[in-house]
Amino acid sequence: MAQEYKLKGVTSLDLKPGDKQEVEVEGLEAKVLLVNAAGTVQAIGPRCTHYGAPLVKGILGTNGKLTCPWHGACFNARTGDIEDAPALNALPVFQTTRRNGAIYITGDAETIKSGNRKPTFKCSTAGASQPDKVVVVGGGSGALGVTEGLREGGFTGQITVVTNEGYLPIDRPKLSKALLTDLSKLQWRDEEWYKKTANIDIVQDEVTGVDFAAKTVATRSGAEIAYTKLVLSTGGTPRRLPLQGFTVLGNIFTLRNVHDASKIVAAIGEQKGKKIVIIGSSFIGMEIAVCTSGGNDVTVIGMEKAPLERVLGEKVGNIIRKNVEAKGVKFYMSAGVDKAEPSGSDPSNVGYVVLKDGTKIDADIVILGVGVAPATEYLKGNTAVRLESDGSLKTDEAFAVVGLKDVYALGDIATYPYHGPGGEGKYVRIEHWNVAQNAGRTAARHINSPHLKPEFFTPVFWSALGAQLRYCGNTQASGWDDVVLQGNPDEGKWIAYYTKGDTVVAMASMGADPAMAQSAQMMQLHKMPSKKELEGGLDILSLGPPQ
């Protein structure tokens, strides 16, 4: 039951737009965040509902947009509603009252202490005739975003998710960052939530084809599922190496799902000291190297001069390399792989990886991190759809597939026009967890309100690389020709701004929160400072609340 609670030590609500203050609630052992959200002063939940980051350390724009300092989740500080992934639960909002020189909030104790607002939806009843039916193919981040977004936006029709992964939507980044395999710690929502709260039907099956004229999808089990709107979000298929030994030897793995992670964990076993060779200095490869390095002999083989050079550049890539080497990981860079050779003790399993220069590296386990291809095999040969040269689907700003009616594509399989700094509407395909989920939210808004113009969201990603890397923006559309590096990498505190001409198109940081959150908001507003200003030493946080 809602009642009044006094805020400890607060006597005034004199906050400017963009100001925020974390305060204690007397008698509850809880805190709230006082905010001035675009002119409205009120109290909201104090922590991000994604991983619990303190929002007082985030960025509150004068427009009321509140961005988490860790992973870019955004909330509307006036309503508490989610604006950008990866948060799933909204923030509670509490009315404030000033009386007798003290400030009180009104709310129920449980909600104040939990700091989040679980969604409640109006959905179709079981068996009711509903003309609207959204079918989502794939159970990953894009599916999560579109299903949550549809229900949050008031969609009451049927929603069916067809996934071949064998479980409910999970927090996929935890696979490469921690090799987690416990579904109770990975699945975002439980089965009861999908069935009773959101009334979403999860079908464990594999889609084998789509009849776009008849508006049906066919599955491997022989089912035929009708739709009024179709959302394709099948993610990526890990690439393998078509080299000698790699197609026949055991203990060579890719990592995409929980089943893959379980196989890797089983191969490593409880006894440490395994020789683990990771091929590919990608984010997946580097994260696996870090999370398996404790007690094991880990080696990374990369074709680039420095790890992550394609995305971060050689200078920043070598900063990352130094962090990861401190974990005991060894590197072979500018290296090409020739073949895999069998183990002497068990010829069915890998024993060595041989480089093109003849170097032979011992390997009990090999993990491939050499990229993914859009998982659109079920569309190949379908004359109604045109796939791009990389196998992806071309979409518009709402992620509606070009040339198809009532069909959307999200995540790794979507090539979409980018309108961030330097983008100018050029087409990109971005393989980030947050991008897929935000694309799902964008598609959901379009399905619910097709008259609304899609809003640009800044791509955000993060990575566990000996320390937490934050990144926002994108360099695919325009490329980049210089990097402005601020801070001291030796102290683990730095920001790298990627520029094209005088325009900042992306940024990466370590130990500099909330610089990424500030940059993400300013990129969305197209108000990032120039390269020249940053070269002059401008601290982006000195600019105050984005406006």
Side-chain angles (χ1 to χ4, degrees), residues 281 304-310 313-315 317-318 321 333:
S281 55
E304 307 166 290
K305 292 179 182 177
L308 308 165
E309 182 183 357
R310 184 180 63 83
E314 186 175 353
K315 182 186 292 186
N318 279 322
R321 174 175 177 169
M333 299 307 299

Side-chain angles (χ1 to χ4, degrees), residues 15-68:
L15 297 175
K16 298 176 182 178
D19 283 354
K20 54 192 180 308
Q21 178 185 358
E22 187 178 83
V23 296
E24 293 183 26
V25 182
E26 290 190 359
L28 285 184
E29 294 186 359
K31 294 180 179 181
V32 293
L33 188 68
L34 282 177
V35 295
N36 184 326
T40 300
V41 178
Q42 60 191 19
I44 62 176
R47 292 187 170 271
C48 179
T49 61
H50 176 229
Y51 283 174
L55 292 173
V56 70
K57 296 183 179 180
I59 296 296
L60 176 60
T62 58
N63 59 0
K65 190 181 189 76
L66 178 59
T67 302
C68 167

Side-chain angles (χ1 to χ4, degrees), residues 37 71 100 103 124 128 152 166 223 278 383 389 402 405 420 481 499:
H71 306 117
N100 300 327
I103 306 298
S124 59
E152 287 170 13
I278 297 164
T383 58
S389 59
V402 174
K405 183 176 174 55
D481 51 30
T499 61

Side-chain angles (χ1 to χ4, degrees), residues 392-411:
S392 65
L393 290 159
K394 193 174 189 177
T395 77
D396 62 15
E397 288 84 353
F399 295 92
V401 176
V402 174
L404 291 175
K405 183 176 174 55
D406 298 325
V407 181
Y408 298 80
L410 313 173

